[in-house]
Amino acid sequence: MGNSPAVRGAVVDELLSASPDAAVLAVSIQNRDAKYPVVQRLLSGVDPTLRETASLAATGDPVVILRQALLSIRHAARCPHIVLALPEDLDVLPFVVELWGAPVGSSSLADHFAPGPVVVGIDPASSLAEMSCIHRAVRLWKGPEHGDPLTIAEAAARQVEAADILIVSSTSDGSDGPRTAGVASLTRHLNTRALQMPFARAGTPGTQSRPALVCRLPPGAVDERRARLDPVTVPSAHRGVENGVRTVLWRTRRPVHAGRLADALADVMSGVVRSRGHLWLSSRPDAVVTWHSAGAHLELREAGGWLEAEDDRAWEAAPPQRRALASWFWHDYYGERRNEIAFTGVDLDERRIQAVLDAVLLTDEELAQGREFWASVPDPLLGGTDPT
C-alpha cells in the first residue's frame, strides 16, 4: 500500500526489484449505493499465462473476490511471489486478517501461500496533510463491509500502524530532508515493530536485493495480526526522542473519573499527534473503553467487556495474547482492568502528562466507596451512566 497512488506504484517497483518474477494483482474498490462494491483487478507478470490479462471486474464481497483470485493465480501460474497492491480505502489490518481467515470451500489461502509482509510507502508531504485532516470522514473497507466513519488522520495512522515494512520517500536532491526525517521519526514511534527503509536510489549498489521485502513471515504472524485487533493490548511505546518526537506511555490500575478526565482533555492532548489505548472508566466498570486520537480528534468507544475469572466462554474466545496479558496483569479484585494509553507527539512533557492523568483517577476515598459509587459518577464523555 501507499498513502498516494504514486507511492503505491513505487512500492510495487521495489517489490518487483526484489522478486522480478513475481505476479502483481492490483486492486481497486469502487463503492456503489448497493451493499457490495465493484472490485476491479488487474493482473500482470512475466509468467506467460499472465501476459495480456484483461482487467477483471466483479461485484461482491471484496474479501471473497480476492481470495478466489489469489487461489486461481496459484493454480494457473508459476511465480515465487504474488504482490497484492491494495487501494487506500482499506483498513488494511482487519482486511488482511479477514482475507487470510475463513476458507473458500474446502481450501484456504494458508493451504497454498505463506504470508508476506505488509509494505506501506509513505510520502512525507501527503502524510503531514493527512495527519492534520480531521474535518472530513472516510469509510474504509475492513472485510466484507464498510467500517464506521473515520477521520482522514485516523485512517492515515492506521495504515502506518498496520505495516511490517515502512518505506519513506524523499526528493532526489534531499531538499526535503528535515520534513522526511521528522515524518520518519513519527512513523517509527507509531509503529515500533516495522522495519523502516528509504526507497532505493537508481544505481545505488545493493538496492536491487532486499530480501526483507519478500520474506516469509514467521509462524504465528497471522495470529499476531489478529491479536492486534483486540481492544486490550499493550500500546507500543518507542523509547527516546527523535527530531522532537516522543511517546509517553501511561499505565495505571485504578478507575478513571470521567468528569475529571473530560476537564483535563485539553491539557492532556496538547501537542499530541496520535494516541491509542484503553480505559477503565469508573462509570462503566465492566466495559473496555478504547481510546483513539489522530490529529485533534479523539474517539472513545465501548469495545466489549473485561475478562472475568468465572467466564470460561470469554476466555476461550479471547486471543492467546489477550489471555497471556490478562494472566500477567491479573489482580484478585480488579481482574485485568487497567488503563494503558500511548501518546505520541512533538515536544511532549512526560511528567506533565503523567501528572495530569494521575489526577483524574478515583481518590482513595472514592475508591473505598465501591462499585455502586463508581458507576454513579456522571459521565460527560460517553453520555451518562447508562452502559447501553
Side-chain angles (χ1 to χ4, degrees):
M1 297 186 71
N3 65 343
S4 72
V7 168
R8 185 181 79 152
V11 169
V12 172
D13 290 342
E14 292 277 340
L15 292 164
L16 289 177
S17 176
S19 180
D21 294 330
V24 178
L25 179 60
V27 180
S28 67
I29 300 178
Q30 302 166 13
N31 193 26
R32 288 179 168 180
D33 293 335
K35 180 178 180 181
Y36 289 119
V38 175
V39 181
Q40 195 86 7
R41 293 151 293 150
L42 179 62
L43 182 62
S44 61
V46 298
D47 189 300
T49 60
L50 301 177
R51 290 177 183 171
E52 299 180 359
T53 302
S55 177
L56 302 176
T59 300
D61 178 344
V63 166
V64 172
I65 291 171
L66 290 185
R67 279 193 198 128
Q68 293 172 336
L70 289 168
L71 291 174
S72 297
I73 296 170
R74 179 66 182 84
H75 292 305
R78 294 183 178 181
C79 47
H81 303 98
I82 297 179
V83 176
L84 185 59
L86 296 173
E88 297 173 49
D89 51 355
L90 294 180
D91 194 354
V92 65
L93 182 59
F95 190 89
V96 168
V97 168
E98 180 72 16
L99 181 66
W100 201 264
V104 180
S106 60
S107 184
S108 70
L109 294 186
D111 295 331
H112 303 280
F113 295 100
V118 173
V119 185
V120 175
I122 300 295
D123 173 70
S126 297
S127 179
L128 291 174
E130 291 161 352
M131 289 300 292
S132 63
C133 181
I134 62 168
H135 303 295
R136 185 161 59 90
V138 294
R139 293 175 66 90
L140 303 182
W141 291 92
K142 58 190 303 181
E145 57 187 22
H146 267 137
D148 296 320
L150 302 171
T151 65
I152 298 293
E154 176 70 26
R158 291 190 184 193
Q159 188 179 84
V160 169
E161 291 160 353
D164 299 302
I165 297 175
L166 287 163
I167 309 181
V168 181
S169 68
S170 62
T171 57
S172 58
D173 60 3
S175 59
D176 64 344
R179 179 175 61 186
T180 298
V183 170
S185 297
L186 178 62
T187 57
R188 268 192 292 273
H189 277 260
L190 296 185
N191 188 337
T192 59
R193 309 172 336 277
L195 170 66
Q196 188 168 125
M197 61 178 68
F199 278 99
R201 300 287 187 202
T204 302
T207 59
Q208 300 306 306
S209 177
R210 291 185 163 192
L213 292 172
V214 289
C215 70
R216 182 189 299 258
L217 293 186
V222 176
D223 291 336
E224 188 274 335
R225 285 174 173 168
R226 185 176 293 108
R228 277 190 269 144
L229 298 175
D230 193 274
V232 180
T233 58
V234 175
S236 61
H238 191 285
R239 295 183 180 275
V241 181
E242 294 182 64
N243 296 298
V245 180
R246 180 196 297 272
T247 295
V248 177
L249 177 61
W250 178 64
R251 175 185 292 155
T252 66
R253 299 221 60 162
R254 185 173 290 217
V256 169
H257 188 292
R260 289 201 286 268
L261 177 60
D263 293 338
L265 281 178
D267 196 11
V268 170
M269 301 304 291
S270 177
V272 173
V273 176
R274 172 64 165 164
S275 59
R276 291 185 66 192
H278 55 268
L279 284 175
W280 173 19
L281 283 181
S282 65
S283 54
R284 298 169 186 248
D286 296 323
V288 177
V289 177
T290 56
W291 172 300
H292 292 90
S293 82
H297 183 268
L298 169 66
E299 178 187 87
L300 302 179
R301 177 172 298 200
E302 281 196 24
W306 301 102
L307 295 177
E308 304 291 353
E310 68 279 1
D311 192 347
D312 294 339
R313 182 173 298 180
W315 280 84
E316 292 172 0
Q321 290 87 340
R322 167 80 176 273
R323 297 197 297 268
L325 285 173
S327 299
W328 178 261
F329 288 105
W330 195 259
H331 185 281
D332 289 342
Y333 185 68
Y334 299 139
E336 67 164 343
R337 290 171 176 80
R338 63 191 187 276
N339 303 292
E340 286 184 307
I341 305 173
F343 300 88
T344 299
V346 179
D347 298 328
L348 296 184
D349 186 331
E350 181 172 4
R351 291 184 177 180
R352 180 187 61 80
I353 292 175
Q354 297 275 3
V356 171
L357 287 171
D358 288 347
V360 309
L361 301 173
L362 293 189
T363 64
D364 290 344
E365 181 180 354
E366 291 168 334
L367 199 64
Q369 297 183 55
R371 288 169 58 98
E372 288 189 10
F373 170 77
W374 306 350
S376 70
V377 171
D379 186 349
L381 296 171
L382 294 179
T385 58
D386 182 358
T388 63

